[in-house]
Amino acid sequence: KNEVEQSPQNLTAQEGEFITINCSYSVGISALHWLQQHPGGGIVSLFMLSSGKKKHGRLIATINIQEKHSSLHITASHPRDSAVYICAFHQGAQKLVFGQGTRLTINP
Amino acid sequence: EAQVTQNPRYLITVTGKKLTVTCSQNMNHEYMSWYRQDPGLGLRQIYYSMNVEVTDKGDVPEGYKVSRKEKRNFPLILESPSPNQTSLYFCASSRQGLYNEQFFGPGTRLTVL
C-alpha cells in the first residue's frame, strides 16, 4: 500500500467549477507540499503547510495532521489550471515522499 | 533571474557509458536534491544534500552518485547507466531543507539503450 494516496487520479471539469483534490497518508508527518506539474513537464511548488490552511490567489490548501489528510481546492477553475497536482510529505527531516498525482483537465 | 538549470535537457545514451547530469542554482540555496519520475511510480528521491560536502541517500540511490563541492552545483553521475535508469530527472533546491519552498529545474529526459 502506498504511503500517500491521492484522489481522484483524473478529474475533468468545466471552466468555473470548484475543484477539490485530496491527499491521504498513512504515517505521521510534520509537513506536506503541494506541487503543480505543467503539461510541458515543469514543476512548481504551490504550498508547504504543516497545519491549518493557506491561500494563494484561487488556490487553497488545507491539512489535518491528526486525520492524515490534506486537500487542495481551486476556485473559479480555468483551462490554464490544467496540470498534474502532486502532494508530497516529509519523511524524516529531509526526504520527500510523493503521491501519484492527480491529472486535472479544465474544459472551456 | 532566480532559477535552477539542468544540462542536458535530453540525452540518449547506451548501456555502460558514464554520464553526468549537471544541476546549478543561482539562489545561494543550501539544500539540493535529485528526483526521478517514472510512469506509474511518480516522483522518487535519489539523493539530497544539506550543504557543501554533505550528501545523503534518498529512496532510490542505487546506480547513482552525487557530489557537492560547491554550493551552487549538485551533479548527478551515472557511472554505468542501464536501461532501467531511463527516466525523467529533476533537480531541486531550497533555502534550507524541506521546510522552505522547493525550486525545481526543467528536467532531463534520459534514455539508456
Side-chain angles (χ1 to χ4, degrees):
Chain A
K1 184 182 185 302
N2 290 335
E3 291 180 297
V4 188
E5 296 282 348
Q6 283 189 238
S7 62
Q9 289 189 323
N10 294 283
L11 178 57
T12 299
Q14 291 299 121
E15 183 173 356
E17 287 188 36
F18 182 82
I19 303 298
T20 296
I21 298 169
N22 297 300
C23 177
S24 297
Y25 44 92
S26 57
V27 297
I29 70 168
S30 56
L32 181 141
H33 294 254
W34 281 101
L35 309 172
Q36 180 193 53
Q37 187 166 24
H38 298 293
I43 299 175
V44 173
S45 176
L46 298 175
F47 297 102
M48 194 283 293
L49 62 165
S50 54
S51 65
K53 180 167 81 171
K54 286 189 176 180
K55 184 175 189 289
H56 186 261
R58 294 180 295 105
L59 300 177
I60 303 166
T62 64
I63 190 168
N64 186 317
I65 291 286
Q66 288 75 24
E67 293 188 6
K68 297 184 169 63
H69 182 267
S70 177
S71 294
L72 177 69
H73 306 284
I74 305 174
T75 61
S77 60
H78 189 276
R80 64 175 175 266
D81 297 325
S82 298
V84 176
Y85 292 85
I86 303 167
C87 67
F89 69 81
H90 295 193
Q91 184 179 57
Q94 301 303 339
K95 293 184 185 180
L96 276 181
V97 177
F98 297 85
Q100 293 294 308
T102 294
R103 184 175 299 278
L104 174 65
T105 303
I106 303 296
N107 293 320
Chain B
E1 179 191 354
Q3 60 182 348
V4 179
T5 57
Q6 294 179 227
N7 282 292
R9 296 288 313 280
Y10 304 90
L11 179 61
I12 300 174
T13 188
V14 295
T15 300
K17 186 176 180 182
K18 181 179 178 179
L19 66 93
T20 299
V21 184
T22 65
C23 173
S24 184
Q25 49 90 10
N26 62 0
M27 296 169 278
N28 200 36
H29 284 171
E30 292 188 355
Y31 180 89
M32 298 185 75
S33 186
W34 275 104
Y35 305 93
R36 62 178 290 176
Q37 186 177 37
D38 303 289
L41 297 175
L43 284 155
R44 292 176 293 169
Q45 192 169 30
I46 304 171
Y47 270 97
Y48 64 93
S49 170
M50 291 297 298
N51 212 326
V52 176
E53 302 293 1
V54 180
T55 64
D56 208 346
K57 296 177 181 178
D59 289 327
V60 289
E62 296 78 19
Y64 304 95
K65 284 175 57 177
V66 292
S67 69
R68 188 92 182 272
K69 293 184 172 58
E70 306 167 278
K71 200 170 189 178
R72 64 183 293 130
N73 296 323
F74 190 44
L76 180 70
I77 303 157
L78 285 72
E79 294 270 3
S80 183
S82 61
N84 64 12
Q85 292 178 298
T86 292
S87 187
L88 179 58
Y89 292 87
F90 289 97
C91 178
S93 73
S94 69
R95 188 163 51 88
Q96 277 184 325
L98 292 178
Y99 288 95
N100 301 119
E101 180 181 1
Q102 303 294 303
F103 292 81
F104 285 81
T108 295
R109 187 167 294 280
L110 172 66
T111 301
V112 183
L113 302 174

Coordinates of all heavy atoms in Angstrom, one line a residue, chain A residues 27-33 48 88-97, chain B residues 97-100 102:
Chain A
V27 N 1.3 7.6 7.5 CA 2.2 7.8 8.6 C 2.1 9.2 9.2 O 1.6 10.1 8.6 CB 3.7 7.5 8.0 CG1 3.8 6.1 7.5 CG2 4.1 8.5 7.0
G28 N 2.7 9.3 10.4 CA 2.7 10.6 11.0 C 3.7 11.5 10.2 O 4.8 11.1 9.9
I29 N 3.3 12.7 9.9 CA 4.2 13.6 9.2 C 4.2 15.0 9.9 O 3.4 15.3 10.8 CB 3.7 13.9 7.7 CG1 2.4 14.7 7.7 CG2 3.5 12.5 7.0 CD1 2.0 15.2 6.3
S30 N 5.2 15.8 9.5 CA 5.3 17.1 10.1 C 4.9 18.2 9.1 O 4.5 19.3 9.5 CB 6.7 17.4 10.5 OG 7.6 17.2 9.4
A31 N 4.9 17.9 7.8 CA 4.6 18.9 6.8 C 4.3 18.3 5.5 O 4.8 17.1 5.2 CB 5.6 20.0 6.7
L32 N 3.6 19.0 4.6 CA 3.2 18.4 3.3 C 3.3 19.5 2.3 O 3.0 20.7 2.6 CB 1.8 17.9 3.4 CG 1.2 17.2 2.2 CD1 0.4 16.0 2.6 CD2 0.4 18.2 1.4
H33 N 3.8 19.1 1.1 CA 3.9 20.0 0.0 C 2.8 19.7 -1.1 O 2.4 18.6 -1.3 CB 5.2 19.9 -0.7 CG 6.4 20.3 0.1 ND1 7.1 21.5 -0.1 CD2 7.0 19.7 1.1 CE1 8.1 21.6 0.8 NE2 8.0 20.5 1.5
M48 N 3.6 24.8 1.0 CA 4.1 23.9 2.1 C 3.4 24.2 3.3 O 3.3 25.4 3.7 CB 5.6 24.1 2.3 CG 6.3 23.0 3.1 SD 6.1 23.1 4.8 CE 6.9 24.6 5.2
A88 N 3.2 15.8 -1.5 CA 4.4 15.1 -1.0 C 4.6 15.4 0.5 O 4.4 16.6 0.8 CB 5.6 15.5 -1.8
F89 N 4.9 14.4 1.2 CA 5.1 14.7 2.7 C 6.6 14.5 3.0 O 7.3 13.8 2.3 CB 4.2 13.9 3.5 CG 4.5 12.4 3.6 CD1 5.5 11.9 4.4 CD2 3.7 11.5 2.8 CE1 5.7 10.5 4.4 CE2 3.9 10.1 2.9 CZ 4.9 9.6 3.7
H90 N 7.0 15.1 4.1 CA 8.3 14.9 4.7 C 8.4 13.5 5.3 O 7.6 13.2 6.2 CB 8.6 16.0 5.7 CG 8.7 17.3 5.2 ND1 9.2 18.4 5.9 CD2 8.2 17.9 4.0 CE1 9.1 19.5 5.2 NE2 8.5 19.2 4.1
Q91 N 9.5 12.8 5.0 CA 9.8 11.5 5.6 C 11.1 11.8 6.4 O 12.1 12.0 5.8 CB 10.0 10.4 4.7 CG 10.2 9.1 5.3 CD 10.4 8.0 4.2 OE1 11.2 8.1 3.4 NE2 9.5 7.0 4.3
G92 N 11.0 11.8 7.7 CA 12.2 12.3 8.5 C 12.3 13.7 8.2 O 11.3 14.4 7.9
A93 N 13.5 14.2 8.3 CA 13.7 15.7 8.2 C 13.9 16.2 6.7 O 13.4 17.3 6.4 CB 14.9 16.1 9.0
Q94 N 14.5 15.3 5.9 CA 14.9 15.9 4.6 C 14.5 15.1 3.4 O 15.1 15.3 2.3 CB 16.4 16.1 4.7 CG 16.9 17.0 5.8 CD 16.2 18.4 5.7 OE1 15.7 18.8 4.7 NE2 16.2 19.1 6.8
K95 N 13.7 14.1 3.5 CA 13.2 13.3 2.4 C 11.8 13.6 2.1 O 11.0 13.9 2.9 CB 13.4 11.8 2.7 CG 14.8 11.3 2.8 CD 14.7 9.8 3.0 CE 16.1 9.2 3.3 NZ 16.1 7.8 3.5
L96 N 11.5 13.6 0.8 CA 10.1 13.8 0.3 C 9.6 12.5 -0.2 O 10.2 11.8 -1.0 CB 10.0 14.9 -0.8 CG 10.0 16.3 -0.3 CD1 9.9 17.2 -1.6 CD2 8.8 16.6 0.6
V97 N 8.3 12.2 0.1 CA 7.6 11.0 -0.4 C 6.4 11.6 -1.2 O 5.6 12.3 -0.6 CB 7.2 10.0 0.7 CG1 6.4 8.9 0.1 CG2 8.4 9.5 1.4
Chain B
G97 N 16.6 23.2 3.4 CA 15.8 22.0 3.7 C 14.4 22.0 3.2 O 14.0 22.9 2.4
L98 N 13.6 21.1 3.6 CA 12.2 20.9 3.1 C 11.2 21.8 3.7 O 10.1 21.8 3.2 CB 11.8 19.4 3.3 CG 12.6 18.4 2.5 CD1 12.1 17.0 2.8 CD2 12.5 18.7 1.0
Y99 N 11.5 22.6 4.7 CA 10.5 23.5 5.3 C 10.5 24.8 4.5 O 9.9 25.8 5.0 CB 10.8 23.7 6.8 CG 10.4 22.4 7.5 CD1 11.3 21.5 7.9 CD2 9.1 22.2 7.9 CE1 11.0 20.4 8.6 CE2 8.7 21.1 8.6 CZ 9.7 20.2 9.0 OH 9.3 19.0 9.6
N100 N 11.2 24.9 3.4 CA 11.2 26.0 2.5 C 10.7 25.7 1.2 O 10.6 24.5 0.8 CB 12.6 26.6 2.4 CG 13.2 27.1 3.7 OD1 14.2 26.6 4.1 ND2 12.5 28.0 4.4
Q102 N 10.4 24.7 -2.5 CA 11.3 23.9 -3.4 C 11.2 24.5 -4.8 O 10.2 24.8 -5.3 CB 10.9 22.5 -3.4 CG 10.8 21.8 -2.1 CD 12.2 21.6 -1.4 OE1 13.1 21.1 -2.0 NE2 12.3 22.2 -0.2

